[in-house]
Amino acid sequence: RDEAATVLMALAELFVRGTVVDWGSVFAGCGARQVELPTYAFQRERFWIRASRPVTDARGLGLGAAEHPLLGAAVVLA
């Protein structure tokens, strides 16, 4: 295994188990910097791709009405 990666992995394992690690010393001279992270995942920001138009009719995709309580569309058997 790569020695540098193994040492960093070991330090990370110690850190998540409560050991205090001086990360400034670990990454000194390599250009790494500390960044702010959100305290809550995504902080109410949406990262989903927005549809250019609403997709409500599946007939354009070759699908027909399923007439089923759980399925919205069905493909005709070959």
Side-chain angles (χ1 to χ4, degrees):
R1 292 186 277 178
D2 179 47
E3 288 181 13
T6 304
V7 168
L8 286 175
M9 183 66 73
L11 283 173
E13 290 284 337
L14 289 170
F15 179 73
V16 298
R17 286 173 169 73
T19 303
V20 177
V21 176
D22 183 10
W23 292 109
S25 299
V26 173
F27 291 107
C30 69
R33 62 185 174 84
Q34 193 170 9
V35 296
E36 291 293 321
L37 295 177
T39 56
Y40 177 75
F42 307 117
Q43 291 188 333
R44 294 178 284 285
E45 283 187 59
R46 291 190 55 133
F47 293 98
W48 295 100
I49 298 173
R50 289 184 171 76
S52 59
R53 59 184 167 81
V55 182
T56 55
D57 187 13
R59 285 180 287 185
L61 300 172
L63 301 175
E67 299 175 7
H68 187 277
L70 298 176
L71 302 176
V75 178
V76 179
L77 293 174

